[in-house]
Amino acid sequence: MDSDIKVVVYTSLPADSYAERALRAGALGFFNKDRDISQLAPLCQLVLQGYACFPQTTLLPLLNAPLQNKNILARLSDRELTVLRYLSEGLSNKEIADRLILSNKTISTYKTRLMEKLKVSHPEELVNFYHQDECYDGK
């Protein structure tokens, strides 16, 4: 990656689940769309000056303690998280398989793994789990 390129993730996705992924992927900042937009430019200036800017409530647990249950989505692989997001949007296994260029069987396997990891007994509960975590604001 070119050292002159500085990446700030600007998203509506929850920081508790995605900020760490952004950091691991090389981003230097994370800004959620529910924050005051007037704060985006100062954050970008800090990133350009060489600082990493991430939500404090997201990084403190990463630095000081293992992930807790409320951050369980952060423990999922990127592919599992993608499948879960598509499931939460109401897509069928076939539709997800077509989008990800995978087989229906592979999506079914991801679904089973997600149910095991998230400790839910019905596929419908995966959608509820995803939306429940998405609303968590870390406060």
Side-chain angles (χ1 to χ4, degrees):
M1 182 177 200
D2 187 337
S3 62
D4 292 336
I5 296 174
K6 311 272 190 241
V7 175
V8 173
V9 174
Y10 179 61
T11 182
S12 61
L13 297 172
D16 287 347
S17 301
Y18 293 91
E20 179 188 4
R21 291 174 191 277
L23 179 65
R24 279 191 272 143
L28 293 175
F30 188 93
F31 192 87
N32 198 285
K33 289 182 178 181
D34 65 359
R35 294 188 53 207
D36 181 3
I37 191 73
S38 67
Q39 298 301 308
L40 181 57
L43 180 134
C44 290
Q45 287 299 322
L46 287 170
V47 168
L48 288 172
Q49 293 171 14
Y51 293 94
C53 299
F54 288 85
Q56 188 175 25
T57 57
T58 302
L59 292 185
L60 283 178
L62 297 177
L63 298 173
N64 299 325
L67 292 173
Q68 299 172 358
N69 285 341
K70 63 187 173 190
N71 295 324
I72 197 164
L73 291 183
R75 296 185 215 169
L76 300 178
S77 72
D78 291 339
R79 181 66 81 183
E80 288 168 336
L81 195 58
T82 300
V83 170
L84 181 59
R85 183 172 49 87
Y86 283 145
L87 288 170
S88 77
E89 293 173 5
L91 271 63
S92 69
N93 285 9
K94 181 178 178 356
E95 290 169 321
I96 296 169
D98 290 345
R99 284 191 184 192
L100 299 178
I101 311 170
L102 298 170
S103 73
N104 287 342
K105 175 101 171 105
T106 301
I107 300 304
S108 181
T109 301
Y110 275 116
K111 211 165 163 179
T112 301
R113 255 194 253 150
L114 284 165
M115 289 172 58
E116 290 170 4
K117 285 185 174 185
L118 301 177
K119 296 179 175 47
V120 298
S121 52
H122 300 289
E124 299 81 30
E125 293 177 73
L126 291 172
V127 173
N128 294 337
F129 190 94
Y130 182 83
H131 289 299
Q132 192 175 44
D133 188 78
E134 195 171 34
C135 295
Y136 177 74
D137 65 5
K139 294 178 185 171

